[in-house]
Amino acid sequence: MPKPEGPPPGKSLLRRAGCGVAILIAVLMIYRVTAVYVVRPELCAPPERPATVMVHDTRDGRDARYPPRAGAIDLIVMSYNMQGQASLLDADHLEEIAEVIRETDADIVGLQEVHDGTWQARFEDQASALAELTGMNLFFGRSFDSYGGSYGNAILTRGTIERAKVYPLPGRGEPRSLLEGIVTLDGREVTVYVTHLASWGRLQRASRSAQVNCIVEIIERSEHPFVLLGDFNTPPGNPEITPLTSGPLVRQAVNPSAATHILTQQHLDYIFPDSGWDTLHANVLTSGPADHWPVVARLASRSVSGPEDSNNDSNGQRPGPAEQGDAQ
């Protein structure tokens, strides 16, 4: 008897099912990238409902180590796209992220790709877990709901988060946002902004342009010295970021030629202090479990109004972050 042509019926069904799943996944991905979120002028306005700050207060154990310098702020800041979804396959992902943060002795950390209760994060509140692991205070800013949980940016700090808010940003695809936190460090108030702009290269250039313009509008209104941290998903030379970098509003702390994305070897992650800060030291840390390297900078304000501390001396000065891939 001649054998029937083609694969066995079972294998044929499996192949068809596999193709169907692949097509469904592709459609969902395309939808997430191309879905239109209506752009409204009020997207750049602050929300009416005040945010709730989650506090893990550890000031008593750290403030004595860092007495304030008279009339100035001296701090270490970090921006880190932590790739929270990597926790799905790596149970130690958060512990490894926390270890990187602890090693820098950072005062302020801006985190991106933070998950709260999603299946990709094993249903864990990643921001709260990192606050516990690092002993820092926390605010998580939701960008959108995802797979039964939330996804967004977060601020960790050894200081006190006085208040915080989330600004939705315009654009297509996954909704993006700018997190703003007013942080008190050594008796001085600093505004911290954290963001994560649209990805997908040239396909989302128009969205990133709109997002950058919105961010510029917001940070120009800051009433305190500020630092803008984030994954902008675009190299320094691309046109969408020039409204931020071409004027006197901010300075770029980290060497723009240093790669921060491991796979593409592009500089996508930034620390932008306002023009009132000096960068004493800045570098890209080539360590950690995520697909981005963290960027770290030690900043000093040139002058800050406020009461003088007559007892301050050189003991308040700290070394910069560990030198790995040091950038000027």
Side-chain angles (χ1 to χ4, degrees):
M1 173 182 279
K3 294 182 179 180
E5 296 182 359
K11 290 187 177 180
S12 178
L13 288 173
L14 288 173
R15 287 180 181 175
R16 290 178 184 176
C19 289
V21 171
I23 292 171
L24 178 60
I25 292 173
V27 169
L28 289 173
M29 290 296 293
I30 291 171
Y31 173 78
R32 291 186 72 186
V33 173
T34 60
V36 176
Y37 293 85
V38 178
V39 179
R40 304 186 302 273
E42 60 268 27
L43 277 176
C44 289
E48 294 181 0
R49 185 165 59 90
T52 301
V53 177
M54 298 179 62
V55 175
H56 300 263
D57 200 342
T58 58
R59 287 174 292 160
D60 291 342
R62 299 195 63 175
D63 275 3
R65 297 169 54 193
Y66 310 129
R69 301 188 321 176
I73 306 173
D74 183 346
L75 53 82
I76 294 174
V77 298
M78 166 191 276
S79 181
Y80 198 179
N81 182 327
M82 56 173 275
Q83 195 185 12
Q85 57 272 18
S87 288
L88 182 64
L89 300 179
D90 181 4
D92 297 325
H93 187 72
L94 290 185
E95 286 78 3
E96 293 168 357
I97 294 290
E99 182 179 358
V100 173
I101 294 172
R102 288 193 299 264
E103 287 177 352
T104 66
D105 203 20
D107 300 296
I108 294 170
V109 181
L111 297 173
Q112 305 89 46
E113 293 193 9
V114 184
H115 291 250
D116 178 8
T118 70
W119 64 270
Q120 295 160 296
R122 302 175 178 229
F123 307 103
E124 186 171 14
D125 179 347
Q126 293 186 329
S128 292
L130 286 172
E132 294 288 351
L133 289 167
T134 60
M136 302 178 82
N137 296 329
L138 157 72
F139 184 83
F140 170 74
R142 181 181 65 85
S143 294
F144 63 93
D145 294 325
S146 174
Y147 302 116
S150 300
Y151 174 95
N153 307 301
I155 295 171
L156 293 175
T157 178
R158 72 172 180 86
T160 303
I161 304 174
E162 306 292 350
R163 55 194 182 276
K165 67 181 80 169
V166 177
Y167 298 87
L169 295 177
R172 297 171 179 264
E174 289 182 347
R176 304 292 175 155
S177 67
L178 176 70
L179 170 58
E180 176 188 270
I182 309 300
V183 176
T184 298
L185 281 158
D186 302 325
R188 312 289 183 178
E189 286 192 332
V190 179
T191 303
V192 182
Y193 297 101
V194 185
T195 195
H196 182 201
L197 301 191
S199 56
W200 295 88
R202 294 184 179 181
L203 293 175
Q204 289 282 58
R205 178 165 286 175
S207 292
R208 284 193 301 276
S209 293
Q211 290 162 3
V212 168
N213 287 329
C214 188
I215 288 171
V216 169
E217 179 183 332
I218 292 167
I219 66 177
E220 282 179 332
R221 303 195 295 260
S222 177
E223 297 178 355
H224 307 287
F226 70 82
V227 182
L228 170 62
L229 310 169
D231 172 9
F232 283 68
N233 268 314
T234 187
N238 282 2
E240 59 264 39
I241 203 171
T242 54
L244 181 64
T245 58
S246 61
L249 183 61
V250 298
R251 299 164 179 253
Q252 188 165 335
V254 183
N255 186 344
S257 65
T260 66
H261 190 273
I262 299 170
L263 181 60
T264 65
Q265 288 295 293
Q266 292 179 307
H267 188 99
L268 304 180
D269 303 85
Y270 297 86
I271 295 174
F272 287 122
D274 71 54
S275 57
W277 298 89
D278 285 322
T279 301
L280 306 181
H281 182 97
N283 58 306
V284 178
L285 299 182
T286 54
S287 61
D291 56 353
H292 288 244
W293 299 130
V295 290
V296 184
R298 182 182 170 201
L299 307 174
S301 64
R302 293 199 188 93
S303 61
V304 178
S305 59
E308 299 270 327
D309 183 352
S310 59
N311 295 323
N312 184 58
D313 55 29
S314 60
N315 292 331
Q317 306 229 353
R318 292 179 285 161
E323 297 187 9
Q324 301 179 46
D326 189 25
Q328 299 299 320

